[in-house]
Structure formats: structure tokens, C-alpha cells
Amino acid sequence: LCDQDVRFNFNLSGVYAVPDIPFLGKWAGRGWQFSTIYTALSGHPFSVFRNGLIDPSGQGLTGASIRGSFTGERVIIQDRNPDAYVNNVFVSPSAGTVGDTPRNFLTSPGLSQWDLTLAKNTKIGERLTVQLRWEVYNVLNRANFSRFSLDNGIRSSTFGQLTQTPDVAAGNPVVAQGGPRNMNLGIKLTF
């Protein structure tokens, strides 16, 4: 599998302009709008490495070039457990051999996020419109974890642990996709 092999990528978006609500009057009963975006992605594949300076195969490989060997035990993936996403059923290759785990043998956790916006457009005169927006990102506050924070070194005591959300791993805490629930309130003037 290539590093960018995402088998499932689903995006749904919509905008609904609420019909006028006459009993609320001209200012409160007009211009309401809902919009939403839902994103669901499956995870990216990743490899399992021995990591280290000494290559047991004698080929002079270093770091992420040395793959681990698979013991044949059952691989357990726990999608909702960042402390033990995958169990360590891998060992260092025997002396004179190369690790037998295939490239991109396992898949990292996916992403699921629902965003919602409520907006109120109010016309002030002929050319001026004021929009008040309430935006909620990750409405359900689902924990999403980044594949870039996954420890895939079999000799590490933290193998299989996820330590960051995608927004933190991308260097944009709370702002980028995959962060915790976040709410913004904004005002926009259109003239």
C-alpha cells in the first residue's frame, strides 16, 4: 500500500435557508440559515520498524529502514484507545535476517468530524447586510488521533500509542481538522 492509500473518504455538506417566521417579526424572523459539513476518512497505512543503529541483517541499514519481524500472534487494533492503539506482536529480526513485516502492514486510525454553523443575516438599508455567525467544529467532540503521532518502533516502550490529534500534529491546535470541539462567534458586514 502507498503511504496515502485512504480507502474511504466521505464528505457531506449542505446549507438550509430557514423560511421566514412571521410571528417573530421582520428582524428576528428573517435571514436564518444552517450549514453543515461531515467528514469521514479511513486511516493511512503504516509500517512497523525495529529502529536503531545496529542492523541484524548485516546490510548496513539504519533507523526506519529496519523492519520488525511478525510473531504470528493476533494483531489487536483498538480504535478508541490512544494508549494502546495496536498491540506489540513484533520482535527484532534474528541475526543475519531481514524483518518480515510487509511495508505499510497496518492502518492508522481514521477521522470523523461534524461541523455546524448557524447564521442570521439582517439587512440594514439597501446595501448593508450584517451577518451574525455561530460556528461549532467537531460538534460531537469525537477524539481523532494523528497517524504522525503513532509510535511504530517495536523496541519502544510506547509502541502503539497515539499522542496527538491531527490539528496539533499539523501545527494548528484547535484550528485545523481533527481538533476538539471549538466554537466561534463572528460578525460579518457586507456592503
Side-chain angles (χ1 to χ4, degrees):
L1 302 174
C2 80
D3 292 338
Q4 304 305 321
D5 185 18
V6 176
R7 299 288 171 104
F8 178 75
N9 184 344
F10 177 78
N11 294 282
L12 176 70
S13 64
V15 177
Y16 177 70
V18 178
D20 291 352
I21 308 168
F23 68 86
L24 289 179
K26 177 182 173 185
W27 294 95
R30 291 185 185 166
W32 290 98
Q33 171 181 312
F34 288 102
S35 57
T36 187
I37 298 174
Y38 176 72
T39 303
L41 304 169
S42 59
H44 291 79
F46 68 94
S47 300
V48 175
F49 297 110
R50 177 185 180 272
N51 292 347
L53 300 174
I54 300 170
D55 176 14
S57 71
Q59 298 179 48
L61 302 173
T62 58
S65 300
I66 307 170
R67 290 205 185 110
S69 289
F70 181 47
T71 63
E73 296 176 45
R74 183 172 165 235
V75 176
I76 299 171
I77 302 285
Q78 300 180 73
D79 287 331
R80 307 308 308 148
N81 185 355
D83 295 327
Y85 174 71
V86 62
N87 61 328
N88 194 351
V89 292
F90 307 95
V91 295
S92 292
S94 301
T97 65
V98 177
D100 63 4
T101 55
R103 179 179 181 271
N104 290 338
F105 178 61
L106 300 171
T107 304
S108 66
L111 178 133
S112 177
Q113 182 168 319
W114 177 37
D115 303 332
L116 185 66
T117 299
L118 173 64
K120 168 68 169 93
N121 296 300
T122 305
K123 278 192 94 52
I124 313 273
E126 276 185 42
R127 295 178 32 186
L128 179 65
T129 301
V130 176
Q131 183 183 73
L132 181 63
R133 298 177 62 87
W134 179 41
E135 301 168 335
V136 183
Y137 300 97
N138 197 0
V139 172
L140 302 176
N141 204 24
R142 181 183 189 273
N144 292 293
F145 300 103
S146 172
R147 68 183 171 121
F148 298 111
S149 71
L150 179 67
D151 186 345
N152 61 348
I154 63 172
R155 295 172 19 150
S156 172
S157 62
T158 58
F159 175 84
Q161 290 185 9
L162 297 157
T163 58
Q164 293 179 327
T165 56
D167 61 324
V168 173
N172 296 310
V174 183
V175 178
Q177 189 175 42
R181 182 184 305 123
N182 177 29
M183 297 184 203
N184 297 329
L185 186 63
I187 296 176
K188 179 169 80 171
L189 298 174
T190 307
F191 52 92

